[in-house]
Amino acid sequence: MRALHVITGLGVGGAEQQLRLLVRNLPVDCDVVTLTNPGAVAEGLTADGVRVMHLGMRGNRDLAALPRLVRLIRGGRYDLVHTHLYRACVYGRTAARLAGVRAVVATEHSLGDSQLEGRRLTAGVRGLYLASERLGRATVAVSPTVAERLRRWGVPGPRIEVVPNGIDVAGFRFDPARRESTRRRLGLPQGAYVVGGVGRLTSAKRFEVLVRALADLPDDVWLLLVGGGPQESVLRRAAQRRGVADRVLFTGERPNGPAAPHAPGAPGAPGGLDLPSLLGAMDVLASPCAEEAFGLAVVEALAAGLPVLYVSCPAVDDLPKDAAPAARRVQGGADSFVRALRQARAQGPGPRAAPDAAHHYSIARSADRLMDIYTAATLGVSST
């Protein structure tokens, strides 16, 4: 089977890194085309031996990109097209059908109750999404929570399949020596208690809640923010206003696994540290986002053996309570996180072992389930 993955961009983000991990684990000949931004994940895919193409799309209304994508799909003689993220789903599903490919699968990575990838859920966004959704054979939800949101949005239930995001559990295994080395490279004082936040620095992630909380915590508590995005300057100014700028570290975008040899954040690059190393340096992960579709950062933190405080995480909430005993839900804003962080610290460090929840989301299991959907799509039957 030859498959083409179409994605909006390939900067360092959850959906983008999930695509790279899936391609590495699927027993399929895969190519990838990015509509825009062939960033660090594109370099990583290329290093893995995957063919990556850049469509050069200039914006949401660059309609000239559609015939270019049709020609690319037709020329590749693909058996299946798999689209990821809103713009790629709209253009990719349309192009695939125009190119004569009927086996079209889309993954919905980021549908919230009130937003989709940061855009408001207007009637126009919904209408365009549903119009293009009908051109595919299946829409994959990354959690049962997203599946229910899709049904409420108008996607027919029989067309929805649930394939949770997956992680390489072994890649996040805690290593005490790596922890000490990483903390030294970050310049953390001996004995610092490190609160971590992982994700795109956007308003939806609500990392300003953690900055506010830090101001009410002891001086040996630090905040380590892993990710890049448009809110970085806002968060830096907030830290300055609160008088905690000297205790907030920004790492920028970091890969969640092996990076391309010369990619930013690659192990061995100046100042470069990957996500498993940075998680190992933390003492607790805090996730203040109120509207997650899955909660990948939480699952990765659990795989690293970290206690987790979260506002929204379908990946944890969809499992039995004892699957992630170190994960605790926090309701409220900065004051709630101050109390929860004080309690987490008072409990002291626990064993840094991955709980059942992390193993439940093994990438191998997700890849196997996706292959069932691929097979059904190419045969033109339901995979359930």
Side-chain angles (χ1 to χ4, degrees):
M1 182 186 297
R2 280 180 51 76
L4 177 69
H5 292 267
V6 184
I7 191 165
T8 299
L10 282 172
V12 178
E16 295 83 357
Q17 299 202 83
Q18 184 67 194
L19 171 59
R20 183 185 177 193
L21 195 55
L22 270 174
V23 168
R24 196 183 293 155
N25 284 270
L26 285 169
V28 174
D29 180 13
C30 293
D31 292 342
V32 175
V33 60
T34 179
L35 304 186
T36 62
N37 184 25
V41 177
E43 296 181 22
L45 283 162
T46 301
D48 293 343
V50 178
R51 183 187 179 207
V52 179
M53 297 160 281
H54 178 209
L55 201 65
M57 194 172 182
R58 294 188 298 275
N60 286 339
R61 299 181 181 181
D62 181 8
L63 298 180
L66 183 60
R68 294 201 301 274
L69 186 54
V70 171
R71 289 193 295 271
L72 188 152
I73 295 170
R74 191 174 286 143
R77 298 187 177 183
Y78 297 104
D79 303 297
L80 179 140
V81 172
H82 187 164
T83 65
H84 308 260
L85 301 176
Y86 179 75
R87 193 193 309 183
C89 285
V90 171
Y91 278 84
R93 287 187 284 214
T94 304
R97 293 302 295 270
L98 289 173
V101 178
R102 300 186 64 82
V104 184
V105 173
T107 292
E108 182 44 64
H109 294 270
S110 305
L111 179 62
D113 285 321
S114 63
Q115 57 82 34
L116 174 65
E117 299 167 32
R119 56 172 62 84
R120 289 189 305 109
L121 295 182
T122 63
V125 168
R126 177 176 178 270
L128 192 56
Y129 186 96
L130 292 177
S132 65
E133 197 280 334
R134 296 186 184 96
L135 300 176
R137 290 214 187 270
T139 295
V140 174
V142 297
S143 67
T145 299
V146 171
E148 178 55 32
R149 288 170 181 164
L150 285 167
R151 279 190 286 270
R152 291 201 306 265
W153 232 33
V155 177
R159 296 171 58 82
I160 301 171
E161 307 283 356
V162 176
V163 180
N165 284 326
I167 64 169
D168 176 7
V169 180
F172 289 93
R173 184 180 296 121
F174 178 67
D175 181 339
R178 182 167 64 177
R179 170 182 170 85
E180 293 307 315
S181 171
T182 301
R183 287 170 72 97
R184 284 195 303 271
R185 291 179 67 179
L186 291 170
L188 290 164
Q190 192 73 24
Y193 186 79
V194 180
V195 179
V198 176
R200 284 274 294 160
L201 302 186
T202 63
S203 58
K205 293 297 185 181
R206 298 177 71 232
F207 287 125
E208 75 281 357
V209 169
L210 302 184
V211 174
R212 294 202 305 272
L214 187 65
D216 291 326
L217 291 166
D219 290 344
D220 61 346
V221 178
W222 287 60
L223 177 59
L224 176 61
L225 292 177
V226 181
Q231 286 284 305
E232 181 172 339
S233 60
V234 175
L235 293 167
R236 287 184 182 276
R237 289 195 297 272
Q240 288 281 358
R241 287 196 307 272
R242 299 275 174 174
V244 296
D246 59 340
R247 292 191 284 136
V248 182
L249 297 177
F250 294 85
T251 71
E253 295 179 340
R254 298 293 168 178
N256 65 358
H262 303 295
L273 289 165
D274 61 13
L275 180 57
S277 299
L278 292 164
L279 287 172
M282 298 173 188
D283 295 290
V284 60
L285 182 99
S287 177
C289 179
E291 202 173 295
E292 288 283 5
F294 180 78
L296 187 59
V298 168
V299 175
E300 291 167 340
L302 291 172
L306 278 172
V308 173
L309 304 173
Y310 70 92
V311 174
S312 168
C313 182
V316 170
D317 293 339
D318 289 337
L319 296 179
K321 289 185 177 180
D322 59 357
R328 176 185 164 194
R329 191 166 192 171
V330 178
Q331 294 184 337
D335 291 345
S336 297
F337 269 96
V338 169
R339 291 191 294 271
L341 287 165
R342 288 183 184 274
Q343 291 170 7
R345 187 177 191 183
Q347 289 173 357
R352 296 287 293 254
D356 290 346
H359 292 285
H360 178 82
Y361 293 114
S362 159
I363 187 62
R365 178 182 294 184
S366 296
D368 285 347
R369 175 66 183 124
L370 192 58
M371 276 307 303
D372 291 341
I373 294 170
Y374 281 8
T375 300
T378 54
L379 293 176
V381 299
S382 171
S383 60
T384 56

